Amino acid sequence: MKKKIIVGNWKMNPTSLDEAVKIYKAVKTAASRLPYVHVVVCPPSVYIQRLNSSRSVSPVSIGAQNVFFEEDGAFTGEISPRMLKNLGVSHVLVGHSEAREMGETDEIVARKAEAVLDAGIHPIVCVGEKERDAHGMYLDILKEQIKNSLAKVPKKLIHQVIMAYEPVWAIGAKEPMEPSHIHETSIFIKKVISDIFGHENAFKTVILYGGAANFRNASDIVEKGNVDGLLVGRESVNIPGFIELLKSINARS
Ligand code: PGA
């Protein structure tokens, strides 16, 4: 049975290290009893070292929320893929809509994805349209975003990439996207990947959905939306809600 991947994007939360440790420990304990989910938590970078300090085999992988594409040098405020790798980070979000909103272009996303792969980390490449129009223009936008964001991924490494489909209008919203629409869009994403990397690679590409996922709707999204997992924002820092979400996915697998 293939494990479902649940990624918790903590965003700029919580404000104290103690609280971060508390969330992480609770998630770790829960995850250790859930064999059908692979949990990745992406805390703010300042907490990574502490959370990952034991470095023992853990049921929870540590991801980062962002990264820079250079390895080292005069880049004030930036963190390199190698630095994250050295802290035991296995996944990095690139192209999240909140980063794109602050100026991250497809070209930057492509360079980041390439650098992350070079460091031996899985990039979680986020894509998603800002709005859905009746004429299907959003599909063209999505296609361009995928093509451009993956432009520097070598064919032999595409299997290391995780795609996260996050319609921007569903992020932070009350309701997620309709699961049948998630299913349609994930097929579309695979088609675009197939055109670039071939059918077999596209078939194997892991696709997550993100946007207003919570413990009530998670299993429906994964099952009916036919995705490999979820990218969870708000619910990932709500300990009881996130644990319920993980249990619901584990139970359906
Ligand atoms: P949300 O955020 O689950 O709070 O809607 C998702 C995300 O931004 O990854």
Side-chain angles (χ1 to χ4, degrees):
M1 178 78 68
K2 216 170 134 201
K3 289 186 182 200
K4 297 294 181 198
I5 301 178
I6 308 296
V7 182
N9 173 13
W10 291 7
K11 306 195 180 185
M12 204 168 70
N13 301 295
T15 45
S16 78
L17 175 62
D18 285 352
E19 184 65 13
V21 170
K22 192 171 143 201
I23 300 170
Y24 180 69
K25 281 190 172 158
V27 172
K28 211 166 139 176
T29 306
S32 65
R33 302 189 189 114
L34 305 172
Y36 302 118
V37 283
H38 176 186
V39 186
V40 181
V41 296
C42 303
S45 303
V46 287
Y47 301 144
I48 290 175
Q49 185 170 22
R50 171 68 179 82
L51 300 188
N52 219 18
S53 55
S54 70
R55 290 291 200 90
S56 54
V57 178
S58 166
V60 176
S61 303
I62 295 276
Q65 296 175 18
N66 208 342
V67 68
F68 194 54
F69 45 74
E70 297 289 352
E71 191 157 320
D72 52 27
F75 302 102
T76 303
E78 302 294 349
I79 297 174
S80 81
R82 179 68 47 203
M83 292 172 187
L84 294 175
K85 178 74 179 176
N86 290 342
L87 290 182
V89 164
S90 54
H91 296 70
V92 181
L93 299 177
V94 295
H96 189 279
S97 69
E98 286 153 16
R100 289 181 186 266
E101 197 55 41
M102 287 188 275
E104 189 158 286
T105 60
D106 280 347
E107 203 207 322
I108 297 173
V109 176
R111 292 184 72 180
K112 288 184 174 182
E114 180 188 34
V116 166
L117 284 168
D118 271 354
I121 301 176
H122 297 283
I124 302 175
V125 178
C126 305
V127 293
E129 76 281 0
K130 284 193 176 152
E131 54 187 17
R132 288 219 148 187
D133 59 294
H135 309 289
M137 289 291 287
Y138 66 91
L139 292 174
D140 291 333
I141 292 167
L142 202 51
K143 185 174 170 182
E144 279 308 292
Q145 220 179 41
I146 298 165
K147 272 172 51 186
N148 296 338
S149 302
L150 300 180
K152 291 179 184 293
V153 173
K155 194 170 176 176
K156 64 175 193 307
L157 292 182
I158 183 66
H159 65 282
Q160 302 283 352
V161 174
I162 293 175
M163 296 301 294
Y165 171 55
E166 296 206 300
V168 179
W169 48 269
I171 296 176
K174 249 176 119 178
E175 298 293 334
M177 184 186 227
E178 191 54 45
S180 63
H181 294 165
I182 295 174
H183 188 192
E184 277 164 23
T185 317
S186 75
I187 293 170
F188 178 77
I189 294 171
K190 290 212 172 189
K191 170 78 179 79
V192 176
I193 293 177
S194 167
D195 291 345
I196 314 168
F197 297 97
H199 175 73
E200 208 172 311
N201 283 319
F203 183 72
K204 286 190 248 164
T205 303
V206 170
I207 301 186
L208 311 179
Y209 165 81
N214 59 38
F215 79 90
R216 288 190 187 86
N217 57 33
S219 67
D220 240 27
I221 295 174
V222 170
E223 215 169 322
K224 299 189 187 141
N226 217 352
V227 283
D228 304 296
L230 299 168
L231 177 51
V232 185
R234 284 158 293 171
E235 194 79 311
S236 70
V237 282
N238 165 20
I239 299 175
F242 193 59
I243 290 174
E244 275 314 303
L245 183 154
L246 298 177
K247 284 184 181 166
S248 74
I249 298 294
N250 188 69
R252 295 287 178 102
S253 296

